[in-house]
Amino acid sequence: MSSTRIHADERLEQWAEAGLRGASIAVADALSILTDESIPLLPLIHAAGRVRERHFGRDVLIHQLHNVQSGACPEDCGYCGQSQSSDAPIQAYRLHSREEILAEAQRARDNGAYRYCMVLSGRGPSDEEIDHMAGCIREVKDRFGLRTCLSAGLLDEAKARRLADAGLDRLNHNLNTSEQHYGEICTTHTFADRLNTLAAARAAGLDLCSGLIVGMGEGFEDLIDVAYRLREFEVPSIPVNFLVPIPGNRVREAALAGRPITPQLALRVLCLFRFVNPRAEVRIGAGREGHLRSMQALALHPANSLFVDGYLLTRGSNTRDTIAMIIDAGFEVRLDGAWPDELARFVAQLKGGGSAAFDIDHSGEVIRDDRKRVRNARLGAGAMGAELTIEGAAT
Ligand code: SF4
């Protein structure tokens, strides 16, 4: 074994040891995860996976996003199709009614969601919007027992308290990028405004959820800066989104340190966040399907949660495909309550394997063509984006 490889193995062991204790790695080590090709990817993922398993076992938490108000936002966030600066042809709508929000929450619960995340476009909610959301949060919790998370832009402590009093569990407010890079993506509010919102939510007793969007033209140092900021804040939930380029937005090319985001680079980013924030719920956010592609299952080693059924403005893979990926990779879907019947049957079939797995409607289709005497079995056109066709003579 070469000395370079021995050196890399020792470093990975040190990082894993630190993470198992809940300690962070040094900034220079974080940089080398992204830049040092002598650190091999699979051993890196394995080391990050050890840390994840220590703090979260093999569980994967499923979140479902619901945009409860879309578009017409006066802010100019360059990555967002709802911004006044975007020409993206999105569907704009006013704040959803109580009935619409409850129906969506029920769908999320029936899809096996552990947490129901509501997102409002705009700079920040008015008093009336806070009242409306507070009422919805109370009902979602009472009727469906779901944990709730709200993303509502900038908030002061008084508004955060009204949401906390209604039973909101968590406030999402992403830092998105570093302080240095912030002016490149938005000019209508500042990085300090974002930090103040996190501080207000914490003072009101809300759990924090805050992450970033990777690939908005930032450098590696910017990414690392965000990872340590979130650690300073002891943020327990970190969504790591990868920019989904939307035509019409100001920021429309996904690039990190001048490079395209390959699946390997995306995996390194997730490992970096695991090693800097070992005890945090690291979530694979938007862009999972496009940037990780066939490597999505590997991302479950550093990360321990994900979204299903799409993001705010873009589609994602569906719940069944995602659940199949999780189970096939040897992880468990974490639910607080019982599985909805249909999903419970689906999961049992997946775990049963063998011929039962071919009864699952999304993954099995056997076509007999007597004329050609050819049997085609098409397997798994799912979350991995893979389609395997087996052709052979019919028996
Ligand atoms: S404040 Fe929110 S909705 Fe408005 S442009 Fe920025 S990210 Fe989009």
Side-chain angles (χ1 to χ4, degrees):
M1 200 186 286
S2 73
S3 62
T4 312
R5 177 59 196 272
I6 292 169
H7 183 58
D9 286 349
E10 284 170 359
R11 293 179 79 191
L12 289 171
E13 187 57 34
Q14 285 169 5
W15 300 349
E17 285 294 328
L20 295 175
R21 297 192 310 274
S24 174
I25 57 172
V27 172
D29 290 328
L31 186 60
S32 63
I33 287 177
L34 301 176
T35 58
D36 185 347
E37 290 182 359
S38 73
I39 297 171
L41 184 59
L42 285 178
L44 174 70
I45 291 169
H46 174 68
R50 285 174 60 199
V51 177
R52 172 247 211 261
E53 279 198 40
R54 165 64 60 90
H55 302 296
F56 295 96
R58 303 284 289 182
D59 287 349
V60 178
L61 304 174
I62 293 189
H63 297 234
Q64 191 160 16
L65 272 177
H66 177 41
N67 218 5
V68 295
Q69 175 175 277
S70 173
C73 181
E75 301 297 287
D76 72 351
C77 308
Y79 53 86
C80 178
Q82 306 183 67
S83 157
Q84 44 98 349
S85 67
S86 171
D87 295 325
I90 63 153
Q91 192 190 2
Y93 42 84
R94 285 167 182 269
L95 185 54
H96 277 179
S97 68
R98 166 187 164 276
E99 290 72 23
E100 287 169 312
I101 291 175
L102 291 177
E104 283 291 339
Q106 176 154 16
R107 252 195 304 281
R109 199 265 321 265
D110 293 347
N111 277 341
Y114 166 85
R115 192 181 293 275
Y116 178 60
C117 309
M118 294 159 277
V119 185
L120 271 75
S121 61
R123 180 180 170 87
S126 65
D127 281 326
E128 294 71 32
E129 286 167 341
I130 290 281
D131 285 341
H132 179 71
M133 292 313 300
C136 292
I137 288 162
R138 274 195 198 95
E139 281 203 64
V140 167
K141 292 190 65 107
D142 287 351
R143 288 173 60 169
F144 308 118
L146 284 165
R147 291 169 200 239
T148 53
C149 178
L150 179 69
S151 182
L154 303 173
L155 281 181
D156 60 22
E157 191 179 324
K159 286 180 177 168
R161 277 194 193 284
R162 284 158 63 192
L163 294 168
D165 290 344
L168 180 67
D169 297 291
R170 198 178 253 184
L171 187 91
N172 164 262
H173 195 65
N174 292 335
L175 290 182
N176 285 330
T177 192
S178 71
E179 186 165 13
Q180 300 84 318
H181 193 62
Y182 208 84
E184 300 293 320
I185 62 158
C186 178
T187 62
T188 46
H189 62 263
T190 64
F191 187 80
D193 290 330
R194 295 221 156 226
L195 288 180
N196 290 342
T197 296
L198 288 181
R202 168 147 294 158
L206 290 167
D207 259 4
L208 298 185
C209 171
S210 182
L212 75 161
I213 304 173
V214 179
M216 297 194 290
E218 73 279 17
F220 288 141
E221 288 77 7
D222 295 300
L223 205 64
I224 290 167
D225 209 64
V226 181
Y228 284 93
R229 284 280 190 165
L230 296 171
R231 180 171 177 85
E232 278 168 33
F233 248 91
E234 298 178 348
V235 170
S237 166
I238 302 179
V240 180
N241 302 288
F242 298 92
L243 182 76
V244 178
I246 296 179
N249 284 0
R250 212 157 33 82
V251 181
R252 66 188 82 173
E253 285 295 322
L256 169 59
R259 304 181 191 180
I261 305 174
T262 60
Q264 292 91 332
L265 183 55
L267 286 166
R268 285 181 182 269
V269 168
L270 290 166
C271 290
L272 157 70
F273 274 82
R274 172 57 64 208
F275 283 122
V276 175
N277 297 276
R279 294 183 199 274
E281 178 187 334
V282 174
R283 182 167 325 111
I284 319 165
R288 164 164 67 89
E289 295 83 355
H291 289 297
L292 283 158
R293 301 199 290 271
S294 59
M295 308 290 254
Q296 290 179 62
L298 280 179
L300 297 173
H301 293 268
N304 65 303
S305 80
L306 44 69
F307 290 112
V308 289
D309 273 347
Y311 312 99
L312 295 180
L313 301 178
T314 55
R315 287 206 183 89
S317 55
N318 71 37
T319 305
R320 285 178 160 233
D321 289 339
T322 305
I323 288 177
M325 173 187 72
I326 292 168
I327 288 171
D328 292 349
F331 293 90
E332 292 286 335
V333 177
R334 160 96 182 268
L335 278 189
D336 267 3
W339 279 101
D341 287 349
E342 196 199 338
L343 279 180
R345 274 197 301 278
F346 177 68
V347 169
Q349 281 178 316
L350 287 171
K351 288 187 171 175
S355 57
F358 288 85
D359 295 337
I360 297 165
D361 26 333
H362 91 279
S363 66
E365 180 191 5
V366 177
I367 301 165
R368 284 188 182 277
D369 182 333
D370 289 337
R371 199 162 32 88
K372 291 184 184 164
R373 293 175 54 75
V374 168
R375 184 178 62 183
N376 292 337
R378 301 174 65 213
L379 306 174
M384 305 289 283
E387 184 164 335
L388 171 66
T389 303
I390 303 169
E391 296 195 343
T395 53

